[in-house]
Every structure is written in structure tokens, then in C-alpha cells.
Amino acid sequence: MKQFLSFVKKEFRHVLRDRRVLLILFGMPIAQVLLFGFALSNEIKNTKIVIVDYAKDYASQQITTKIAASQYFDIDKNLLSHDQLLAAFKKGDIKEAVIFPVNFAEDLSHQNQAQIQIISDATDLNISNQVIAYLTNIILNYQAEQNQLQKIPYRIIPETRMLYNPELKGAPNFVPGVMAMVLLLVCVMMTAVAIVKEKETGTMEVLLVSPMKPWTIIVSKAAPYLILSLLDLISILVLSVFVLNVPVEGSLVLLLAESTLFIVTCLMLGILISIQTSSQQIAMLISLVGMMMPAMMLSGFMFPIENMPYALQLISNILPSKWYYIIVKNVMIKGTGFAAVWKETLIMAGIAMLLFLVSLKKFKIRLQ
Amino acid sequence: MVTANDLVKTYGKKNEVLAVDHVSFSVKEAEIFGLIGPDGAGKTSIFRMLTTLLLPDSGSASVQGFDVVKDYKAIRNTVGYMPGRFSLYQDLTVEENLDFFATVFETTVAENYDLIKDIYVQLEPFKKRRAGKLSGGMKQKLALCCALIHKPTVLFLDEPTTGVDPVSRKEFWEMLKRLQSQGITILVSTPYMDEADLCDRIALIQNGKILSIDTPENISAAYPDKLFAVKANKMSTLLKELAQFKNASATYSFGEYAHVATDSKQFEAGNAPVEFEKELEDYLADHGLENIEIKEIKASVEDCFIKFLK
């Protein structure tokens, strides 16, 4: 026990005396959260939209007011000709255009049918899709109101609701992803590098020729990073709650417990990498390219897993970050309890166990 | 105390690099045993096999009766090992390093302080300094302290004086003598031949093979040839001309002198060494060298080593 504590103390000294490590440990998560929160947002905000109203009647005015009420659009009311409109799109001055034809209200009331043209700059597909969905929603909404007033026979109108994230904000989507990424990076890379460093500087040689048992070396090497990762996790949560306004909907205790399990899994992965490699560069490369990239691409955080080819879907199953991402989304954003995530928890625990056993088996009690 | 029995170690995928070639020796209790040989001779490989860090390809070895393969745990508990490369934590201070290794070996600095006191007093003024910022000699002293902190019965020192200034080297050897007097068995390796005389017994080693094992005195005494040290005004010309000298079996530079070996049989036939010196002096003078100085000398371990390599 004294050996263990002394080792942990030593490990903390290494970390606290290395500014670069400190920067990676605490600078990176904060930078990532803030970057994703403010700069790399794919929310539709202030989309430039022009409303070309040839009708200028009560119906078109009402719809325009509804659109204007939304904070997502920068509205420009202008009567542009067809050519002018196209030129404006080309120059990139506007992203969307809503066009009311002449006699819009009249058509609506007399023929029970009217048309609105929505033109969208589809070079940015994401925004374009979201805006069109949003505009369609507004128009359907208006239509529904009119129907109520006029008591015209039933018409079924599909109603979409964006659950858990009604404003389509980006933050609830990326906070679980950033958590998974940061913890993965800190735990896997830092532990891998920390153990390999002892091999590289020759201190492992001295440690091996000592009464210290291999698993004590491993555990005491990993323990400080468990604590540091938990600190990282807490700082991400504080940032997400107070700066990005993404609250923890579910149980905080459950979230922390699941995160600890994920951290332990990652630590095991880091240890396994360090056992199999002999230099810090290789360890870093494997953690970055071999772990970070697939974790980012395949855990569902950047691209939906359902859209991937079947082979990639299968691969994604072995990534602990996939399961952690699902758990955090459930617990933190949807606010579900353990009952909803026990399967994912079990899979992650299984991966951790497997990694631990493999590490124990592969640990070299000698050089080479 | 420590025995090696026909140890073989190879490296490479096909075991094509023979690092240790059927090495056998034994070290007595409280003896300073030196492995003397150039870089790449296989010294570190032997040390690593004895400290249980490497498995021998064949052969066996034991430390205090414990087998290096089967009883590796017992050996790890009792020996002190100082690797050739500085292997302490550079970002920890002198004090922190020592404390850490004391706890790793389940002891405290206070408990065995008397053993390291002589060495540690020299380090004490720098105890708050980080190990990476120490001078070469200080680093080695700290490493020795760390290897000694658990009062090992056998101490393995792999090239402890490499890269250390001559004064620190001398001090270091004085420390080893003191440790020896406390009953600690010491195995030390070094590429410096002049340190051979400080060991009780040495093994000369080259290309993984042991050339000779004996006390330094016996090894020197067994030198078969007569040896002369020669000096003149131009060293490079001197060496060139000596190489052409017919009656020399070997010539090589040795510090500020050139050493000339010649077959000792000619002196049994009645030839006096003085005559050989005269002959050599005349030869060198004929070839334009001045201030010639020739004297007969006793062979050192290094001369023996050079002889073995021939």
C-alpha cells in the first residue's frame, strides 16, 4: 500500500512538472468544449433569407410575420426579379428565398389551394434541409390555424416534434461526443505514453529488479490518470451546464459512475498499448490513429452509425466510445435511468475485463 | 555467491547476433568482480541475465543460490542494480528519487542511512535539485545511493563510471571499496582498463567471449612478451616507423607513449633487454626521430587485453 501511494505521488509529480502534459490534460477539454459550443456549430442561426412577396395580402403577411418571429432568420424583404434572385444566390448574399405569387390569399380562400415557392442554396445541404423543414413547419402550422377557423373537413397534417432538443441546438448533440473523445484521449494516450516513457528512459529496468509486482506497477501508473480524467469530466460538465446551457437531465451519480467505467476501460486500453510498444512516438501514434480516429468516426458522434456500411457498423461495436456515447446521450440528455442503459454498461464492462485480462497476460516481467 | 554457467544469449529474429558466447564465471562473497571489455562486448547482456531481466538462450546462472529463471522474484528482492544508462526520474529531485526507491524496496531512507551516508553527504547540498540537472558524477552517486538503499547483498553496477570525470571516478571506486568492506558482493563492468586494477578479480571479455579470468596482478604477470615504452618528438612518425621495425611483435600507442612488444624468447638466448633498446634507438634515430626515450615496463591489464585481441 505504501509502495502504491508513493508511486501515485511520484506520478502526480511527473504530471504537475510537465507543462505540456498539463496543457493537454486541462487545456484540451476546455478548448474542445468551447470550440464545439461556439465556433463549430451546425445550428441554423441568422440564415440570410429573402422574402419576395408579389401578393402583399393578409395571408402572405401573416406567414411572413411567423417566419420573422423565428430567431433563425435574417429577413430581407425585397421585390426581386427572377434574374436578380439568382444573382443574389450566386454571390452568396442569400441562402434561402421564399416567394409568394400574386393572388396568394385569393387562391387560398377560393381554390383552397395556393403555392409558395421556397428556393434554397443546397451547396450547404445540412442547413438547407433544416431550413426547409423549418419553413415547411411554419407553413403547415399556418395552414392548420386557417383550417381550424374555417372548419373545412379534416385534413391530416404530419406534425414533427424535435424531442429532447426542440430548438435543434448543437450542444446536446456534441457534449456527449466531446466527453467520450476527451476521456478517450486523456486515458488512452496519457497512460500509454506514461508507461512507455519508463521503458524508454530505462527506469522500468530498475522497477523490474525490485520487489514491486507487475500489477502494482500497472495499477499505480493508471490510478493518477483516473483521478485526472474525473477532474476533466467534471470540468466538461461544469462548462456544459453553465456555459452551454446543457443540463444533466438524468442522475449525476449514474453519469459519473458510467464515466468511471468508461475511464477504466480506456485506461486498460492505454496499458495494453504501452505493453505492446517500445517508444513514446509509437504509443502516441497508435493511440491517436488507431484509437482516436475510429472513435471519432465510428462512435456515432460525427456520423450516424445507421448510415454506415454494415462492416463499419460491426466494427463500431467493439469501440467502447460508441457505448459510452449512447449511455451519456441517454443519461445526460434524455434523462433516462440505469434501466435504459444496462445493456451498454454490461458491454463496456465486458470490454474492460477483456482488456485487463489480455494486459495481464501480455505484461512482460523481463526486458524484450 | 554469483555463478554463471555456460551462459549464451543471442539477439535478432533468427538469433543471428551472438551477444554472450558460453560465458562461465563465479564471484565470491564480498568480492569486487570486474567485467572488463569494450562497448558491445556483451557486458550489459550478462548483467541483465544475472539480474533476471533477460532470459539466457542456454546455460544457467544463480545469485545467492537462487536460479535467475526460476527464482527471479527472490533475486529481485535482494539485489541492487544500477543500469548502464542513468535510470532515475530526471524530473524528480534528489530527495524524491531516494525516497521513492526506498519505498519501492519497502524500506525507508532513515533505516539504511549508515550505508549511503558517505555518498549522500556529497549529494545533500543538492537534495532539492532535480536529478536531470545534476552533473554526471553526481548522477552516478545518486544512482548508487538508490541501488543501495535497501541494503542489497549483491550489487550489480553496469558501467557506473562511464561519462564521469577522473576525480569522481576515483571517489566512486573508493566508495565501492567501503561497501565491499561492509560485506557486499559487487559485480561491476567497465570499459576503462585502468579500473581493472581496482577489482579483486576481473574477467576480460570481448565479442561475448571471456578471454581470461584472474586477479589483475596475475593477468599482468602472465603477459608473455617483453614490453617497452617509447617516446620521441613526433608521435605519428614514431608509430609509423615502429610498425616497420622487424623485431617488434606488436606496436601501439598508449597515452603519451608507444608500446612495443617483442618476443621474450630472444632474451633467454642471452640477449639483454639493453641491447634491444639500443637497437631500437638506433633504428629510430636513423629514421629522423629525436628525443628518443625507451624504457622497459611491466604489462598492464590493457596491454594484456590488446595481446588477447591479437
Side-chain angles (χ1 to χ4, degrees):
Chain A
M1 199 58 201
K2 246 181 97 185
Q3 273 184 340
F4 174 74
L5 288 179
S6 162
F7 209 110
V8 172
K9 200 162 82 187
K10 172 200 83 111
E11 216 51 42
F12 269 113
R13 283 188 176 131
H14 287 321
V15 174
L16 295 178
R17 282 172 195 182
D18 194 336
R19 267 191 222 122
R20 279 172 304 172
V21 171
L22 272 183
L23 198 69
I24 294 180
L25 269 178
F26 294 105
M28 192 190 60
I30 294 172
Q32 278 204 348
V33 170
L34 294 181
L35 261 178
F36 277 101
F38 294 108
L40 308 174
S41 152
N42 54 3
E43 288 172 32
I44 29 168
K45 234 184 257 167
N46 309 326
T47 309
K48 284 193 185 122
I49 184 169
V50 68
I51 292 177
V52 186
D53 190 354
Y54 291 114
K56 288 212 188 305
D57 48 33
Y58 69 95
S60 72
Q61 296 291 339
Q62 278 172 341
I63 294 179
T64 307
T65 324
K66 271 183 176 293
I67 296 173
S70 152
Q71 50 168 324
Y72 297 134
F73 302 116
D74 237 3
I75 291 188
D76 192 4
K77 277 179 225 166
N78 223 331
L79 264 185
L80 296 169
S81 72
H82 182 69
D83 291 341
Q84 281 171 318
L85 204 62
L86 289 185
F89 265 112
K90 264 220 171 105
K91 273 172 78 187
D93 287 347
I94 51 173
K95 293 278 177 198
E96 317 289 334
V98 178
I99 303 165
F100 295 97
V102 198
N103 303 330
F104 178 69
E106 229 177 272
D107 287 353
L108 195 66
S109 56
H110 293 148
Q111 301 175 16
N112 265 346
Q113 196 179 355
Q115 282 181 327
I116 301 176
Q117 187 180 27
I118 301 172
I119 303 175
S120 175
D121 178 352
T123 50
D124 201 333
L125 203 60
N126 260 338
I127 293 183
S128 172
N129 274 337
Q130 286 189 51
V131 168
I132 288 175
Y134 200 81
L135 286 174
T136 314
N137 227 349
I138 290 176
I139 293 161
L140 286 176
N141 206 323
Y142 175 76
Q143 194 179 318
E145 279 171 22
Q146 298 306 312
N147 286 348
Q148 261 179 354
L149 294 175
Q150 297 187 4
K151 307 230 180 231
I152 283 175
Y154 289 111
R155 281 182 66 185
I156 297 169
I157 296 162
E159 190 194 279
T160 23
R161 262 181 68 204
M162 296 302 192
L163 280 178
Y164 315 117
N165 186 12
E167 296 153 83
L168 295 181
K169 276 206 291 191
N173 193 33
F174 79 77
V175 166
V178 168
M179 275 165 68
M181 254 167 58
V182 168
L183 293 181
L184 190 76
L185 194 73
V186 169
C187 301
V188 177
M189 198 168 81
M190 293 288 160
T191 26
V193 167
I195 297 181
V196 175
K197 198 175 164 191
E198 300 243 1
K199 282 197 212 173
E200 241 183 21
T201 55
T203 42
M204 191 54 114
E205 218 173 314
V206 183
L207 289 180
L208 283 177
V209 189
S210 80
M212 221 161 168
K213 287 180 188 64
W215 70 267
T216 324
I217 299 179
I218 289 185
V219 173
S220 39
K221 202 76 195 170
Y225 290 97
L226 174 65
I227 297 168
L228 290 169
S229 311
L230 282 173
L231 282 179
D232 259 349
L233 175 74
I234 290 166
S235 60
I236 294 175
L237 285 179
V238 167
L239 276 179
S240 104
V241 171
F242 294 105
V243 180
L244 302 172
N245 298 319
V246 181
V248 178
E249 296 289 350
S251 147
L252 186 63
V253 178
L254 180 62
L255 185 64
L256 289 179
E258 296 281 3
S259 301
T260 310
L261 177 63
F262 179 62
I263 290 170
V264 169
T265 315
C266 293
L267 289 177
M268 292 299 147
L269 201 58
I271 285 166
L272 189 61
I273 292 175
S274 72
I275 287 173
Q276 297 294 70
T277 53
S278 54
S279 83
Q280 292 187 63
Q281 276 98 332
I282 297 176
M284 190 133 33
L285 210 68
I286 292 184
S287 347
L288 276 178
V289 180
M291 301 296 146
M292 282 301 291
M293 297 297 283
M296 261 167 78
M297 303 290 184
L298 302 180
S299 56
F301 154 51
M302 293 219 159
F303 312 105
I305 291 177
E306 294 77 16
N307 295 355
M308 292 175 192
Y310 189 62
L312 286 182
Q313 290 192 27
L314 281 184
I315 294 176
S316 76
N317 284 333
I318 58 166
L319 296 174
S321 51
K322 172 194 166 172
W323 304 110
Y324 180 63
Y325 180 62
I326 295 174
I327 292 172
V328 175
K329 260 199 325 201
N330 270 298
V331 176
M332 189 172 170
I333 310 299
K334 290 192 200 165
T336 50
F338 183 68
V341 294
W342 68 269
K343 225 188 279 171
E344 285 80 3
T345 311
L346 210 64
I347 293 171
M348 214 155 66
I351 296 176
M353 260 326 270
L354 189 75
L355 288 171
F356 180 69
L357 290 177
V358 175
S359 303
L360 258 193
K361 211 165 157 46
K362 294 265 175 185
F363 186 83
K364 295 181 188 89
I365 52 165
R366 295 191 167 85
L367 297 178
Q368 273 187 340
Chain B
M1 218 40 203
V2 179
T3 57
N5 201 350
D6 218 22
L7 280 178
V8 176
K9 180 73 200 172
T10 55
Y11 295 111
K13 280 207 179 79
K14 292 174 192 145
N15 296 336
E16 70 274 16
V17 184
L18 184 60
V20 178
D21 187 0
H22 299 278
V23 163
S24 304
F25 60 84
S26 70
V27 182
K28 294 177 209 135
E29 193 169 338
E31 182 179 46
I32 298 186
F33 187 87
L35 282 180
I36 320 281
D39 296 337
K43 303 187 297 285
T44 300
S45 297
I46 295 175
F47 267 72
R48 284 182 171 168
M49 283 189 278
L50 291 176
T51 50
T52 76
L53 284 169
L54 284 182
L55 290 172
D57 289 5
S58 70
S60 63
S62 69
V63 176
Q64 287 186 291
F66 296 116
D67 186 82
V68 291
V69 179
K70 275 201 314 250
D71 312 318
Y72 73 94
K73 279 184 187 157
I75 293 177
R76 290 180 181 190
N77 281 335
T78 49
V79 303
Y81 173 49
M82 182 175 154
R85 201 156 44 122
F86 180 66
S87 299
L88 301 178
Y89 297 101
Q90 314 247 6
D91 52 348
L92 297 189
T93 66
V94 169
E95 219 177 10
E96 287 163 354
N97 264 301
L98 200 58
D99 278 334
F100 172 70
F101 282 103
T103 19
V104 162
F105 285 98
E106 290 160 336
T107 177
T108 59
V109 176
E111 204 172 314
N112 292 317
Y113 187 69
D114 56 316
L115 196 62
I116 60 162
K117 200 177 81 191
D118 291 336
I119 315 165
Y120 192 65
V121 284
Q122 300 181 39
L123 285 166
E124 199 128 39
F126 313 105
K127 67 179 182 187
K128 296 277 178 220
R129 191 179 288 188
R130 297 201 183 165
K133 296 245 179 341
L134 290 174
S135 69
M138 284 293 173
K139 274 183 186 167
Q140 295 309 83
K141 281 171 199 162
L142 176 59
L144 183 62
C145 281
C146 291
L148 277 173
I149 195 66
H150 60 295
K151 208 166 188 175
T153 44
V154 184
L155 194 55
F156 291 91
L157 306 172
D158 192 5
E159 301 200 7
T161 54
T162 300
V164 175
D165 68 84
V167 179
S168 299
R169 267 168 67 186
K170 195 163 161 286
E171 281 177 1
F172 201 89
W173 276 94
E174 283 163 10
M175 285 168 201
L176 295 190
K177 291 279 180 199
R178 274 200 294 274
L179 292 172
Q180 181 190 17
S181 68
Q182 302 200 31
I184 296 176
T185 309
I186 299 171
L187 257 84
V188 59
S189 74
T190 176
Y192 301 122
M193 302 291 164
D194 54 332
E195 291 181 345
D197 295 323
L198 302 166
C199 302
D200 295 328
R201 284 195 311 139
I202 53 171
L204 296 182
I205 178 167
Q206 161 78 2
N207 290 334
K209 267 203 182 82
I210 288 188
L211 305 169
S212 171
I213 304 178
D214 212 330
T215 61
E217 296 78 31
N218 287 348
I219 285 185
S220 303
Y223 191 76
D225 298 344
K226 276 253 181 278
L227 200 63
F228 297 88
V230 185
K231 203 165 137 181
N233 59 340
K234 281 186 224 141
M235 188 62 170
S236 55
T237 328
L238 174 68
L239 284 169
K240 215 157 57 192
E241 295 306 335
L242 281 177
Q244 305 293 321
F245 187 60
K246 272 189 246 105
N247 203 7
S249 58
T251 60
Y252 45 88
S253 73
F254 198 100
E256 51 176 340
Y257 286 92
H259 280 190
V260 179
T262 183
D263 201 334
S264 51
K265 277 187 195 126
Q266 56 179 306
F267 302 110
E268 286 161 18
N271 241 350
V274 193
E275 284 168 40
F276 176 82
E277 284 178 32
K278 183 84 182 74
E279 187 192 339
L280 182 60
E281 190 173 350
D282 290 346
Y283 168 81
L284 292 175
D286 282 350
H287 287 82
L289 284 154
E290 290 161 17
N291 305 331
I292 302 163
E293 188 191 322
I294 303 176
K295 57 184 181 189
E296 193 187 341
I297 51 162
K298 268 189 172 173
S300 68
V301 171
E302 186 163 356
D303 291 308
C304 297
F305 198 87
I306 292 168
K307 177 79 185 166
F308 278 121
L309 294 188
K310 290 274 144 90

